[in-house]
Amino acid sequence: MSRQERHVLSPETRKVLLGVNSGIALAHIGNYIWFPHLISTLGVEYSGFWAGFVMFLTYVGRLSATFFYEGVAARFGTRSSIIVGIAVEAVALGGMGFAHGVLFYSLLAFFVGFGSGVSFPGLKNILGTLPEKDRPKAFSSFQMSCQLGVIAGSVIGGIFLGSSMAILFLVVFVLFAGYCAAAASFIPADAGAKADPSAARAPLVNVAILKGLQLGGGGSYFLLSSVFWVLSITFLVGMPLHMEEFVSEMPVSTPFWITGLALLVLQYPAFRYMSKRLRPGQVMGVAFLAMAVAYTLFGAGQTATWVVVGCLVVVFGDILFTPSFDLWVANRMPADRLARAMGAMHFFRSFGNMIGTLSAGALYDLSRSTDTPGLNWYVVGAIALVCAGVSFLSARREGVAATSEPAEAAPTAQVPPAPEPRETAGTTA
């Protein structure tokens, strides 16, 4: 693409992206400082189940927030709801520095999740309502910011080995305060405004958030996304427990900066290559295959070498599945249903994470009680393999349906071409 043909973002869009991307980077730094340490600590002091249970409560909070998000955003505006959600999350994380016992951690974890469940869909809503020509770069830069935060947080987290929880969570609180300030300073008050005026009359609590979503044949992708997040959170919860037992000579956050760095380097070329050659369902199938291989590697070998190799393979799950699904939703849903679609995406993600946090801890305990190292990884690897088969089957049906539909309807089922290399530095989120 020539310099003259390159799309240039407007000053308004640049300002929005500055607030969204800088904030989400700070959030990921904070999250990847605290949760590996907390999970490994709880796993040692209590069990894998209780470590997973605390994380489970964060996703109960996120899932609960799903039913509030649309009503809160309609009444107070997307920007204000984001700021309030971040503030709730920050206060709860700050309180964790003074928590004692699983029950106290669990209560605060619920509010951490609830705040995230209000703020995160708002950020996605803002990106989804940007001009269509700006969306690929917006989603791309958002994912890039997430991965930079993952890498920085995982590396910085190693500094806090042996530190007290009070110091650890004080640092996290400061980072989330910066996240809140970035959102308040750079996101305009009218960002993410709904196109449908009747949205202001939406109920504050909407338990029918998924009703009438009109997925248009994409329901299987939403269901697969839930299972994907079960598998993804298994890595996040299971790896600190795995490291504590088998690779204690390395910091528990090491796998996360390895995967974060690999994502940063590989996400754009890998996704661009695959999305140009395969249908969305096929790309998702390859993502699940990568996860199946990686989890088999973790189970077969418990040494540092196998952890590193597995981390370099498992990243292709996020690289391929998440951007295919996100861009499909952003381009398929009309503006007046986008907030509901984002809420539904968050519902399926949170539900999958809820199940995954409990199952990851329970499967780890099962592998120890049965004296079968790696059993927890073999189980989720088998699930990933089944999902790969379902994804490829869905892609085959999608291809048959596309050939029988009118020509003008076919593009809605396709993933748009990835941006040119000079337009973006990563894949979508």
Side-chain angles (χ1 to χ4, degrees), residues 7 10 42 64 66 91 136 145 162-163 167 197 213 217 222 308 333 380 402:
H7 171 60
S10 68
L42 293 175
S64 301
T66 299
V91 171
S145 299
S163 298
I167 294 176
L213 184 57
F222 276 83
V308 173
M333 295 297 165
V380 290

Side-chain angles (χ1 to χ4, degrees), residues 231 295 363 366 374-385:
L231 301 173
Y295 291 153
L363 286 172
L366 179 64
L375 176 63
N376 52 325
W377 297 116
Y378 293 140
V379 171
V380 290
I383 295 172
L385 192 60

Side-chain angles (χ1 to χ4, degrees), residues 126-352:
I126 287 176
L127 297 183
T129 53
L130 290 174
E132 186 173 355
K133 59 186 178 181
D134 292 344
R135 289 178 196 168
K137 179 173 283 189
F139 281 119
S140 173
S141 62
F142 184 84
Q143 181 72 358
M144 171 69 77
S145 299
C146 290
Q147 297 311 322
L148 287 173
V150 169
I151 296 169
S154 301
V155 173
I156 294 171
I159 299 174
F160 295 94
L161 287 175
S163 298
S164 68
M165 286 295 180
I167 294 176
L168 180 72
F169 282 102
L170 175 61
V171 172
V172 174
F173 173 80
V174 171
L175 289 169
F176 271 80
Y179 176 19
C180 192
S185 300
F186 296 106
I187 299 178
D190 60 348
K194 294 182 178 0
D196 184 1
S198 66
R201 297 192 297 272
L204 180 60
V205 181
N206 184 7
V207 296
I209 186 70
L210 303 178
K211 184 178 180 181
L213 184 57
Q214 300 176 13
L215 300 181
S220 61
Y221 292 154
F222 276 83
L223 294 175
L224 278 173
S225 75
S226 248
V227 184
F228 171 81
W229 291 112
V230 170
L231 301 173
S232 181
I233 202 67
T234 295
F235 174 77
L236 297 180
V237 174
M239 188 50 64
L241 299 173
H242 184 89
M243 295 290 288
E244 190 69 34
E245 181 175 4
F246 298 110
V247 198
S248 58
E249 69 274 13
M250 297 174 65
V252 293
S253 58
T254 299
F256 304 115
W257 69 255
I258 293 174
T259 54
L261 186 59
L263 275 164
L264 194 64
V265 174
L266 298 174
Q267 60 183 344
Y268 174 74
F271 176 64
R272 182 171 183 265
Y273 178 86
M274 297 295 290
S275 64
K276 283 188 172 184
R277 290 162 175 80
L278 301 176
R279 288 183 173 276
Q282 293 171 320
V283 177
M284 295 175 193
V286 175
F288 281 121
L289 280 178
M291 298 181 90
V293 171
Y295 291 153
T296 301
L297 292 174
F298 293 144
Q302 288 84 42
T303 65
T305 299
W306 287 107
V307 167
V308 173
V309 174
C311 287
L312 294 176
V313 176
V314 78
V315 293
F316 286 97
D318 278 315
I319 286 172
L320 300 178
F321 186 93
T322 310
S324 296
F325 183 58
D326 279 354
L327 258 185
W328 179 86
V329 171
N331 285 278
R332 188 151 186 164
M333 295 297 165
D336 61 332
R337 291 208 311 270
L338 191 58
R340 176 169 291 188
M342 294 301 173
M345 289 174 66
H346 203 70
F347 174 90
F348 282 101
R349 176 174 182 162
S350 297
F351 183 77

Side-chain angles (χ1 to χ4, degrees), residues 61-63 65-66 69 85 89 112-122 346 350:
R62 291 183 186 183
L63 189 62
T66 299
Y69 168 70
E89 193 174 2
V112 170
F114 190 88
S116 174
V118 172
S119 62
F120 193 80
H346 203 70
S350 297

